[in-house]
Amino acid sequence: MEELSKLGLTVAELRFALDTFYFLISGALVMWMAAGFAMLEAGLVRSKNTTEILTKNVCLYSIACITYLIVGYNIMYVDNPEGGWLPSFGALIGSQAADADHSLESDFFFQVVFVATSMSIVSGAVAERMKLWAFLAFSVVMTAVIYPVEGFWTWGGGFVSAAGFVDFAGSGIVHMAGAAAALSGVILLGARKGKYGPKGQVNPIPGSNLPMATLGMFILWMGWFGFNGGSQLMVSDAANATSVGKIFVNTNSAAAFGAISALVVCKMIWGKADLTMILNGALAGLVAITADPLSPSLGLAAVIGLVAGGLVVFSIVGFDRVRIDDPVGAISVHGVAGIFGLLLVPLSNSDATLTGQLFGIVSIFAWVFGASFVVWLVLKKTMGIRVSEEEEYNGMDASDCGIDAYPEFVTVKTAG
């Protein structure tokens, strides 16, 4: 205390500075997940669509930062009625509360990178056949309105949280929401040409760069420590610091068990180690534990990751059987594993009930899927959402961007 006095600081000021710094560093880690999504998706699409998918990821992040600043944050948090369903549309970002334990700007930054994460889920699912500008137009609506409304219902103190719904870091609010938006788009968009044949035939379309996809998965795994750890919101006392440590260990454990589970399931079914399934197994474990990475014991966290990693393999295969074409498995990883994680929260958290979790799942999914479907449909009827067959065949890098990601490997056609 004496040393603090000499520095002209109080304990409260020091804790404020420490929690603000932790919030900002956690947000930076989540922002780094944008690179993870970009690398993962670029590795899992064909080389002729690489530049376009990277363009989508850069632009969706930028759009999210702008729209959430101007509109979204105010819908989600500013001056909203407790337990309500209609946001108040408060003033831009609002003002710093007198009793705040971190800066308002750090809170905004931490929240905006979550919005971008949710939108990143959509880009992979609709890859290789959606028009760039239609996707970016949807990004504006998703990040400005659709996500913030369900965010207000839950983290903003609206009626879903009042019903007892518990989602610590966003298995439903972020991940399932992104998957719901993606699913509605994929249904209207249709499958890639050649993906499905007659009599239930599924034709694999391999990605172009598995080293890049693997790097993307590890970047996401690393960023998830900010995603889940930062959601504790504080680190400036012994109890919160201990909680953050447990969150890190549970998060890491669930991812590791998810990867190994997917490996074993693939070996049992196909006799091979399918790298793409292993990558998605790790991510499924991360998504599932995100619903509550603090309450479970280390053993339960391991079980959550283990089951999620196996579940995602069957989910990806199941979606293919019903001809839902998802090039990166995003709907399974973020939607199915997200729902699974939410349903398990009552096992270790006495504040959660199965009824409350189901109510939250249905509310979020119905809103995001329904609103997204309407937006996609309007875009389809106006500007169109799918590229032409010729553009799809030649690759979207040529039609949308005019730049090849791997120019050295492109066959040059000459007049003969």
Side-chain angles (χ1 to χ4, degrees):
M1 292 292 290
E2 231 177 274
E3 296 299 321
L4 289 176
S5 298
K6 290 178 183 177
L7 293 172
L9 294 172
T10 64
V11 173
E13 288 174 326
L14 186 63
R15 291 186 63 181
F16 183 95
L18 180 58
D19 288 333
T20 294
F21 181 71
Y22 178 65
F23 229 24
L24 291 171
I25 293 300
S26 296
L29 279 172
V30 180
M31 184 272 169
W32 184 229
M33 291 173 72
F37 279 112
M39 295 299 97
L40 179 71
E41 293 169 14
L44 293 179
V45 301
R46 288 167 287 185
S47 57
K48 62 184 180 180
N49 297 311
T50 305
T51 301
E52 195 264 356
I53 200 73
L54 294 173
T55 302
K56 281 180 178 176
N57 276 274
V58 173
C59 292
L60 75 85
Y61 180 81
S62 302
I63 287 170
C65 291
I66 294 168
T67 58
Y68 196 67
L69 174 68
I70 297 172
V71 181
Y73 188 77
N74 309 304
I75 292 174
M76 194 162 168
Y77 287 113
V78 180
D79 299 326
N80 284 323
E82 192 75 23
W85 65 273
L86 185 66
S88 68
F89 298 90
L92 184 65
I93 293 190
S95 56
Q96 182 76 49
D99 59 348
D101 47 33
H102 53 262
S103 78
L104 182 65
E105 288 78 9
S106 68
D107 182 78
F108 167 79
F109 178 67
F110 187 70
Q111 297 297 335
V112 75
V113 290
F114 275 57
V115 184
T117 297
S118 188
M119 189 61 220
S120 294
I121 295 164
V122 183
S123 64
V126 301
E128 300 204 289
R129 73 273 202 207
M130 174 168 278
K131 290 182 177 180
L132 173 63
W133 289 96
F135 174 82
L136 297 181
F138 177 80
S139 299
V140 172
V141 183
M142 176 70 176
T143 57
V145 180
I146 298 175
Y147 175 94
V149 166
E150 57 96 6
F152 156 59
W153 290 349
T154 49
W155 286 336
F159 76 97
V160 175
S161 63
F165 177 67
V166 175
D167 188 2
F168 185 92
S171 284
I173 298 165
V174 179
H175 295 280
M176 186 188 69
L183 179 61
S184 63
V186 169
I187 290 171
L188 286 172
L189 189 61
R192 291 168 291 175
K193 294 296 181 184
K195 175 64 178 177
Y196 303 115
K199 299 179 181 178
Q201 180 184 349
V202 178
N203 301 312
I205 301 179
S208 61
N209 195 326
L210 292 186
M212 184 182 290
T214 304
L215 174 63
M217 185 279 295
F218 274 118
I219 291 173
L220 288 169
W221 192 331
M222 176 184 174
W224 231 286
F225 296 120
F227 201 98
N228 287 355
S231 295
Q232 181 63 21
L233 308 182
M234 296 179 68
V235 73
S236 59
D237 57 49
N240 280 292
T242 301
S243 294
V244 169
K246 185 179 181 184
I247 289 168
F248 269 53
V249 173
N250 279 349
T251 299
N252 192 63
S253 177
F257 275 90
I260 299 304
S261 176
L263 167 67
V264 173
V265 169
C266 288
K267 178 64 176 177
M268 290 173 63
I269 297 175
W270 299 295
K272 304 289 185 182
D274 187 326
L275 176 61
T276 61
M277 290 294 188
I278 295 168
L279 301 181
N280 280 330
L283 295 175
L286 289 163
V287 170
I289 198 64
T290 294
D292 188 353
L294 177 59
S295 300
S297 64
L298 183 57
L300 180 56
V303 171
I304 291 171
L306 192 73
V307 178
L311 178 64
V312 80
V313 176
F314 293 105
S315 177
I316 290 171
V317 172
F319 275 114
D320 266 338
R321 285 181 177 171
V322 297
R323 298 181 172 241
I324 298 293
D325 184 16
D326 179 357
V328 304
I331 297 169
S332 295
V333 169
H334 301 277
V336 175
I339 292 171
F340 170 72
L342 289 168
L343 292 175
L344 293 191
V345 173
L347 292 180
S348 58
N349 190 330
S350 59
D351 293 333
T353 64
L354 183 58
T355 302
Q357 296 304 96
L358 287 170
F359 180 75
I361 290 167
V362 172
S363 298
I364 294 169
F365 186 88
W367 161 250
V368 178
F369 181 88
S372 298
F373 192 90
V374 170
V375 176
W376 288 126
L377 188 60
V378 170
L379 290 172
K380 184 175 182 177
K381 297 295 184 182
T382 53
M383 64 190 301
I385 60 175
R386 181 160 187 149
V387 298
S388 68
E389 282 193 37
E390 182 181 1
E391 289 172 329
E392 185 176 349
Y393 177 80
N394 291 328
M396 298 175 68
D397 289 1
S399 60
D400 282 337
C401 303
I403 302 173
D404 293 313
Y406 308 104
E408 295 87 351
F409 300 100
V410 175
T411 302
V412 179
K413 296 180 181 179
T414 58

